[in-house]
Amino acid sequence: MPGRPPPSIRGQTLNTSFQKQQLQHQNGVTIEVLTGPPPLRRGGFLKDDSDTSSSSSCSSSSGGAGLQPLLKAGRATGTLNLSCRQLKGVPTEVYAPSLAEDEKFWECRGLTKLDLSHNEIEALPPDLALLGATLRVLLLRQNLLSSLPPSLPSLENLLTLDLSGNRIKELDPSSFAFPLLKDLSLSNNRISSLPPSLGPSLPSLQTLHLSNNLLRSFPPSLGTLQKLTTLTATGNALEVVSPSLLALPSL
C-alpha cells in the first residue's frame, strides 16, 4: 500500500526526515525552519547563524573591574559597552548615574545603546525602564536570564532587542510589547510557545530570529506582522507554518 505523500506549504514539500527546510517566497526572502524534533543540545546552546558575536572576544576582558571609565564614556557618547565583564547584574549606575566631579550634567548624553552581552546576569532590574526615553538598542545575548521584568515595555523607543542565548522558557505578554521594535532575537533559548498576542505587540517588527528553541508552531497573530521581512526558525520542531504568515506582503 503506497505511503501518504509528504505535507507541503505553498507547493514546498516539507522534509519529514528532519532536514533543514527553506521556504522561498516570490521576492526571494527565505523563511528557514526545521521539521521534526529539535536537535540535541550537548552542554549548551547551539550557535545561531544570526549571532555574529563570539565568546572568544571575552578572553581579554577584565571582569567587573574598572567599570567607572566605561560608565563615564557612556555618559559622554550615549553608547555603553559592558559585554564580557562577568557581571552578575546590571550596575545601578547604568540607569541611575552618579556624575564624577569633572562631569557636567548638561554635557552628558542619554543612553541610546547598551551592550550587556556575554555576562552572567540572571535578572533585569525594574528600574532599567528609566532608560525608556532614549534607549534604542539593548543587547543581552549570552546571559542567564529566565524571565523579563513587567517594566521592560517602558523602553518604548527600543528598536533592537537581542535576548539570544539565555534560559527563557516563556514570554509574558505583559513584558513584551514594543511599538517601535524592528529587530528581535530570541534564538538559543528554551521557548516552547509564543504568546498569542505577540504579533499585535510588535507592529513595527522587521526581523525575527527564533532558531534553536522548542517551538512546534507559530501563533496566528504573527500573520499581522505586516513589516516582517526576515524570519529564522531553524532548530525547532515546526511541522506547519500558518497560511497567514506566508501571506505577509513583505515575506
Side-chain angles (χ1 to χ4, degrees), residues 39-103:
L40 294 176
R41 292 163 168 77
R42 296 182 179 178
F45 297 101
L46 296 176
K47 184 181 183 296
D48 175 22
D49 293 339
S50 67
D51 184 3
T52 57
S53 65
S54 172
S55 58
S56 61
S57 63
C58 295
S59 59
S60 61
S61 69
S62 58
L67 292 184
Q68 288 305 318
L70 298 175
L71 292 165
K72 186 176 180 180
R75 293 191 289 270
T77 64
T79 298
L80 179 56
N81 185 350
L82 295 180
S83 63
C84 304
R85 292 282 159 179
Q86 302 174 15
L87 299 176
K88 306 292 185 181
V90 180
T92 302
E93 287 200 13
V94 169
Y95 49 84
S98 177
L99 302 186
E101 290 184 359
D102 60 344
E103 289 182 287

Side-chain angles (χ1 to χ4, degrees), residues 47-234:
K47 184 181 183 296
D48 175 22
D49 293 339
S50 67
D51 184 3
T52 57
S53 65
S54 172
S55 58
S56 61
S57 63
C58 295
S59 59
S60 61
S61 69
S62 58
L67 292 184
Q68 288 305 318
L70 298 175
L71 292 165
K72 186 176 180 180
R75 293 191 289 270
T77 64
T79 298
L80 179 56
N81 185 350
L82 295 180
S83 63
C84 304
R85 292 282 159 179
Q86 302 174 15
L87 299 176
K88 306 292 185 181
V90 180
T92 302
E93 287 200 13
V94 169
Y95 49 84
S98 177
L99 302 186
E101 290 184 359
D102 60 344
E103 289 182 287
K104 300 177 178 65
F105 74 88
W106 59 84
E107 294 178 345
C108 295
R109 300 183 58 182
L111 203 59
T112 59
K113 180 178 180 179
L114 176 58
D115 190 350
L116 293 163
S117 303
H118 298 282
N119 281 295
E120 301 170 17
I121 299 172
E122 297 184 0
L124 298 178
D127 285 346
L128 194 66
L130 295 173
L131 300 174
T134 60
L135 195 62
R136 302 289 188 273
V137 178
L138 179 56
L139 307 178
L140 288 158
R141 61 178 172 265
Q142 297 298 329
N143 275 284
L144 303 175
L145 297 171
S146 58
S147 62
L148 303 173
S151 62
L152 200 63
S154 295
L155 301 174
E156 58 186 5
N157 291 305
L158 211 58
L159 302 177
T160 298
L161 178 59
D162 189 347
L163 292 163
S164 59
N166 279 278
R167 298 177 175 181
I168 300 170
K169 294 183 179 181
E170 60 181 1
L171 301 176
D172 185 343
S174 65
S175 301
F176 227 82
F178 303 97
L180 302 181
L181 194 68
K182 293 182 179 181
D183 303 298
L184 173 62
S185 181
L186 292 165
S187 298
N188 296 315
N189 277 283
R190 303 169 183 179
I191 302 170
S192 58
S193 64
L194 299 174
S197 60
L198 188 65
S201 298
L202 304 170
S204 303
L205 200 65
Q206 298 176 7
T207 302
L208 177 59
H209 295 295
L210 295 167
S211 297
N212 302 324
N213 277 286
L214 303 172
L215 296 169
R216 293 189 174 275
S217 64
F218 293 136
S221 71
L222 284 193
T224 66
L225 296 174
Q226 296 297 309
K227 298 181 180 180
L228 191 67
T229 59
T230 301
L231 170 61
T232 60
T234 56

